Amino acid sequence: MSELAVQRFLDLQDRLIEPPVVRFGHLNRIVGMTIEASGLDAPMGSQCSVEKSDGSRVEAQVVGFSNDLIYMMPFQGTIGLKPGARVTLRASSDSAFVGDGALGRVLDAYGNPLDGLSPPRELTQRPLISEPINPMSREPIDQVLDVGIRAINALLTIGCGQRIGLIAGSGVGKSVLLGMMTKFTQADVIVIGLIGERGREVKEFIEQTLGYIGLRRAVVIAAPADNSPLLRIRAANLAHCYAEHFKEKGQNVLLLVDSLTRVAHAQREIGLAVGEPPTTKGYPSSVFSLIPKMIERTGTGAKDEGSITAIYTVLAEGDDLNDPIVDISRASLDGQIVLTRELADEGHFPAIDLSGSVSRLLPVLASEAHLKLASSFRRYWAIYQQNRDLIQVGAYQRGSNLDLDKAISLREENLKFLRQSMHEPAEFQQSLTEMKEAIDG
């Protein structure tokens, strides 16, 4: 991110926020990504600037302290800083500027445009990190969200305000599935956070996967992998901030974050840089605190508000579904959709593994007839999968098991139902009708 873009954001913040009493300190030393300063009374999360030798500034955020020393991390690099440089407290907390003017736009972690257009207009200021929601004030989840994916609509039904994890290894179709949801969903507004992705993938997702139809009712916040960990965390918080803005206006929002794992990696970099001890797989405890807090910002709102349906992609590193980030995500979310490499290698897209996928709100959202159909479909699918090896080597004799015989006869219809082209939408009622046809053979 350019220094000009950062300065534009901070200048706007200075004009709209009554500045705190200015306090100064000086830089002591830089160790790795951590800037150590003294003589500055700054709380956690404060926004500071450090003067370079040429008079320009490096913006940083307070991430820790020890006695009279504070530890900061820069939003950009530290080149040009020297011992004794002046450190200025800019703001004691962080805020964001959000609004309807950002629809159809691609923004960076500060809310500045990445699409080459003028900055969004008619934005309002709000805290970047909102106060926790009283769980007793939330409305129940009782409305189905049509995402346009046949297998999800029928077998993993999602409700408005539900939080789902999209768990998969690399290269099995996560981004394509997200793009299908953005184009086919019935949500009012879509907010997309592309966190820690390669810069090439950001442009490809917007131009090829999302497309014009998806972008015109979406806000995209992008912080590629070359951004500092602070910017990646800020981009994730900004995406949630935009989702909260639209929810408070009574709209049903679909929030897509790709990926929650990259957010965890960014927090791991910050935690280790300030001396936090690593725990499971090198992740400090702050990671396992950040993820549930971020997820709890989504969901249903109060009576007159809308909802935020959140879908977080979770990267199963090495296809390990017992990865600690996968574990904490499953514990914090209302269900998961698992994509497997085995199905992707067979050309089965979307590569949804029904045996590992579940929507915890399906019993609440589905009718009795819907539940019966979904249960039958899953049953015959599981029976075939459990006996697949016997069938393929010819060891199974027809007539030995009536349920397995029916599962074999329905196999092609079931496969046809689960597979879906990225250009083929499937509405909710259509999905139920086709599921019934697949079970009836």
Side-chain angles (χ1 to χ4, degrees):
M1 182 180 299
S2 68
E3 293 184 8
L4 180 61
V6 175
Q7 189 59 49
R8 185 190 306 129
F9 171 82
L10 290 171
D11 290 343
L12 179 61
Q13 195 173 44
D14 287 343
R15 290 197 299 271
L16 296 180
I17 305 174
E18 183 178 349
V21 177
V22 177
R23 293 183 289 270
F24 303 99
H26 62 273
L27 188 153
N28 290 350
R29 63 173 183 166
I30 298 175
V31 180
M33 297 185 296
T34 307
I35 300 174
E36 181 183 294
S38 60
L40 187 66
D41 183 16
M44 284 285 291
S46 300
Q47 308 297 301
C48 301
S49 63
V50 187
E51 292 185 5
K52 291 184 180 181
S53 54
D54 61 0
S56 60
R57 297 180 297 184
V58 170
E59 305 304 326
Q61 182 173 336
V62 176
V63 294
F65 58 86
S66 176
N67 297 324
D68 62 340
L69 298 177
I70 64 169
Y71 303 113
M72 302 178 292
M73 291 193 70
F75 287 105
Q76 301 87 33
T78 57
I79 296 176
L81 297 181
K82 62 181 181 180
R86 191 179 194 184
V87 181
T88 306
L89 175 64
R90 296 291 300 271
S92 58
S93 62
D94 203 355
S95 61
F97 299 93
V98 301
D100 295 1
L103 285 171
R105 303 298 303 275
V106 183
L107 310 174
D108 63 17
Y110 281 109
N112 294 316
L114 287 174
D115 49 17
L117 303 177
S118 59
R121 297 183 178 182
E122 300 180 0
L123 303 183
T124 57
Q125 179 203 359
R126 60 181 297 142
L128 183 65
I129 300 178
S130 60
E131 293 294 325
I133 302 173
N134 184 342
M136 296 302 294
S137 68
R138 290 184 185 268
E139 288 290 293
I141 299 175
D142 54 12
Q143 180 182 348
V144 172
L145 177 66
D146 186 349
V147 294
I149 312 297
R150 194 160 43 234
I152 297 176
N153 279 343
L155 300 167
L156 302 165
T157 308
I158 296 176
C160 293
Q162 188 171 354
R163 290 80 63 91
I164 289 285
L166 187 57
I167 303 173
S170 58
V172 296
K174 296 190 302 299
S175 297
V176 174
L177 187 56
L178 289 180
M180 292 171 68
M181 290 183 187
T182 57
K183 288 184 286 188
F184 303 153
T185 184
Q186 297 301 311
D188 299 321
V189 180
I190 304 161
V191 179
I192 304 171
L194 301 177
I195 315 299
E197 297 294 323
R198 291 180 286 271
R200 171 186 60 82
E201 291 179 332
V202 172
K203 185 174 182 180
E204 287 181 357
F205 178 85
I206 293 168
E207 293 184 351
Q208 300 177 18
T209 306
L210 181 60
Y212 171 74
I213 295 176
L215 182 60
R216 65 185 179 184
R217 57 170 174 157
V219 179
V220 181
I221 311 296
D226 59 348
N227 282 188
S228 73
L230 279 179
L231 285 180
R232 281 175 266 154
I233 295 288
R234 194 182 199 283
N237 284 322
L238 183 58
H240 285 75
C241 200
Y242 264 101
E244 289 167 338
H245 164 76
F246 292 115
K247 180 198 73 172
E248 291 169 4
K249 294 183 63 179
Q251 296 176 302
N252 289 325
V253 184
L254 177 61
L255 171 65
L256 307 176
V257 177
D258 187 16
S259 70
L260 192 62
T261 304
R262 304 301 185 196
V263 175
H265 288 176
Q267 182 60 38
R268 177 171 62 181
E269 291 179 45
I270 295 171
L272 295 179
V274 298
E276 193 177 352
T279 54
T280 308
K281 258 194 173 180
Y283 289 102
S285 59
S286 61
V287 172
F288 303 105
S289 173
L290 171 69
I291 290 177
K293 288 180 181 178
M294 187 170 288
I295 290 173
E296 283 301 317
R297 295 178 65 176
T298 63
T300 54
K303 185 175 181 180
D304 297 327
E305 294 183 339
S307 64
I308 303 174
T309 306
I311 299 179
Y312 299 91
T313 66
V314 185
L315 181 62
E317 298 183 10
D319 294 335
D320 180 13
L321 296 181
N322 294 316
D323 180 86
I325 302 304
V326 175
D327 275 343
I328 188 65
S329 300
R330 277 195 298 233
S332 305
L333 295 166
D334 303 320
Q336 69 268 353
I337 300 170
V338 178
L339 306 184
T340 63
R341 194 171 305 278
E342 180 182 4
L343 288 173
D345 290 343
E346 294 175 358
H348 182 121
F349 293 104
I352 298 175
D353 177 20
L354 290 182
S355 62
S357 304
V358 64
S359 170
R360 295 178 182 171
L361 292 178
L362 175 62
V364 177
L365 298 168
S367 64
E368 185 176 348
H370 179 181
L371 281 175
K372 186 176 179 180
L373 286 172
S375 178
S376 296
F377 190 102
R378 278 181 170 272
R379 181 165 174 264
Y380 289 124
W381 179 267
I383 289 172
Y384 185 93
Q385 293 298 103
Q386 292 165 3
N387 297 275
R388 185 176 181 180
D389 292 340
L390 289 175
I391 298 168
Q392 290 181 339
V393 300
Y396 174 71
Q397 297 295 322
R398 288 289 186 108
S400 302
N401 185 315
L402 295 181
D403 286 337
L404 182 53
D405 288 345
K406 185 168 183 179
I408 294 172
S409 66
L410 295 177
R411 179 66 175 179
E412 289 304 317
E413 289 296 326
N414 290 351
L415 285 172
K416 181 181 177 182
F417 173 80
L418 292 175
R419 290 170 177 165
Q420 184 173 341
S421 165
M422 65 181 294
H423 304 294
E424 171 198 357
E427 295 182 352
F428 181 76
Q429 289 300 328
Q430 175 191 349
S431 301
L432 299 186
T433 301
E434 293 182 5
M435 178 172 64
K436 186 178 186 303
E437 293 173 352
I439 293 174
D440 292 342

